[in-house]
Amino acid sequence: MNRVPQQPDPAPHAAPAALPDALPGLAHVRAGEVGLCVRDAGSGPAVVLLHGTTASLGVWDAVVERLGETVRTVAVDQRGHGRSGKPAAGYDAAAYTADVLALVRELELGPVVAVGHSLGARNALVLAAEHPEAVAGVVAVDYTPYVEAEVLDALEARVRGGDRAFASGTDVETYLRERYPLLPADAVRRRRRYGYAPAGAGPTLRPLADPAAMVRTVDGLRRDFAAETAAVRVPVTLLRGEHSAIVSPRAFAATRELRPDFRAVELAGLDHYLPEEDPHTVADEIVRMLDRTTG
């Protein structure tokens, strides 16, 4: 295994001095050992939305808009990310899924459709395997078992490289456009608004995702979860971008061989960030799962 050269873990950031913009509808919910920032909207069958590494609940805004008011959507800043709690430890699948389970119980959501992107997809699948009473179905977006070690090495390098200060919101958006070339302009703006805040007394902006937590999160992703995926007994849809740099064709094929009963869809012309690149299709797949699990 070619690991990223060993480097000291980055120090946690100090709490931001202020939030960069007023973001309506956010609330904090105590979920087990951490406080989670959520946006709870709509009514009807419940969908919990889990973002990927270094991201925030804002990546789901366009999907939530398309789902409308007849679906209850609970978008979550997972631990270590965004405006949620950032404990010093606990960034493996067990800790992440314990948070989601506690949130489902605290909000009395009942069996939910768990929708996750990347890290969130791993967490949704593990939750479904270990707590089927809490999960009616899963939509796993561009993450599966069998992701190669070198892919996670590259992800760790990107995570470490993202721990930097920016002089302005414009500088943040320039960086995000270079890092995520297929994201539409509105998605770039949302990533800046939800994911960055002033640090210290000056105008400097830093990521809200805790840098030490992000490194530990990638380390947790190195543990394969094929056994948990094999144990899932609720309906699952797998989505992959044709040009994904995270889920290789080999990893996707191996997962389909492991679970030929899962619905598997590849989206042409897209890469890893499907909820932002094609929110319409992602929303359609969520509705399809809701139809299957709730009628």
Side-chain angles (χ1 to χ4, degrees), residues 233-273:
R233 292 294 175 264
V234 301
V236 173
T237 295
L238 305 175
L239 302 180
R240 176 183 182 268
E242 178 188 12
H243 303 302
S244 175
I246 300 295
V247 179
S248 68
R250 186 207 66 84
F252 199 57
T255 305
R256 295 184 68 177
E257 183 175 351
L258 176 70
R259 292 302 303 257
D261 56 314
F262 287 179
R263 174 173 165 81
V265 180
E266 289 193 85
L267 302 186
L270 303 180
D271 59 23
H272 178 59
Y273 303 96

Side-chain angles (χ1 to χ4, degrees), residues 40-41 76 86 100 114 118 129 170 241 264:
D40 186 349
V76 185
K86 299 173 174 64
V100 182
S118 199
T170 299

Side-chain angles (χ1 to χ4, degrees), residues 48-59:
V48 172
L49 300 162
L50 306 172
H51 59 73
T53 307
T54 76
S56 72
L57 61 83
V59 302

Side-chain angles (χ1 to χ4, degrees), residues 71-290:
V71 176
R72 184 178 181 183
T73 55
V74 181
V76 185
D77 278 346
Q78 298 188 85
R79 64 166 55 209
H81 295 77
R83 293 159 176 81
S84 286
K86 299 173 174 64
Y91 293 96
D92 57 4
Y96 275 113
T97 56
D99 292 347
V100 182
L101 180 64
L103 180 69
V104 169
R105 291 173 173 170
E106 177 66 24
L107 296 181
E108 299 181 347
L109 298 175
V112 301
V113 169
V115 181
H117 172 240
S118 199
L119 164 71
R122 190 278 308 267
N123 297 342
L125 285 164
V126 173
L127 179 67
E130 297 183 348
H131 295 282
E133 76 285 356
V135 180
V138 172
V139 179
V141 183
D142 216 78
Y143 204 81
T144 69
Y146 310 117
V147 169
E148 295 85 355
E150 58 268 25
V151 171
L152 294 172
D153 291 345
L155 176 60
E156 182 176 335
R158 288 196 299 276
V159 163
R160 290 180 181 273
D163 177 28
R164 51 184 285 196
F166 298 88
S168 68
T170 299
D171 288 348
V172 172
E173 292 186 19
T174 298
Y175 162 75
L176 293 173
R177 283 194 296 271
E178 293 171 353
R179 183 167 175 176
Y180 309 110
L182 296 185
L183 289 194
D186 61 336
V188 170
R189 288 192 295 270
R190 281 193 295 271
R191 282 204 173 233
R192 190 268 302 170
R193 290 185 68 210
Y194 283 93
Y196 294 80
T204 302
L205 299 174
R206 295 199 70 103
L208 284 169
D210 182 82
M214 298 305 97
V215 172
R216 294 186 177 103
T217 293
V218 176
D219 193 56
L221 288 171
R222 294 182 185 278
R223 181 189 176 277
D224 189 74
F225 59 106
E228 289 89 343
T229 302
V232 171
R233 292 294 175 264
V234 301
V236 173
T237 295
L238 305 175
L239 302 180
R240 176 183 182 268
E242 178 188 12
H243 303 302
S244 175
I246 300 295
V247 179
S248 68
R250 186 207 66 84
F252 199 57
T255 305
R256 295 184 68 177
E257 183 175 351
L258 176 70
R259 292 302 303 257
D261 56 314
F262 287 179
R263 174 173 165 81
V265 180
E266 289 193 85
L267 302 186
L270 303 180
D271 59 23
H272 178 59
Y273 303 96
L274 303 181
E276 296 161 284
E277 293 169 4
D278 189 358
H280 181 83
T281 297
V282 173
D284 282 351
E285 290 295 337
I286 294 170
V287 170
R288 184 186 183 102
M289 182 60 70
L290 287 168

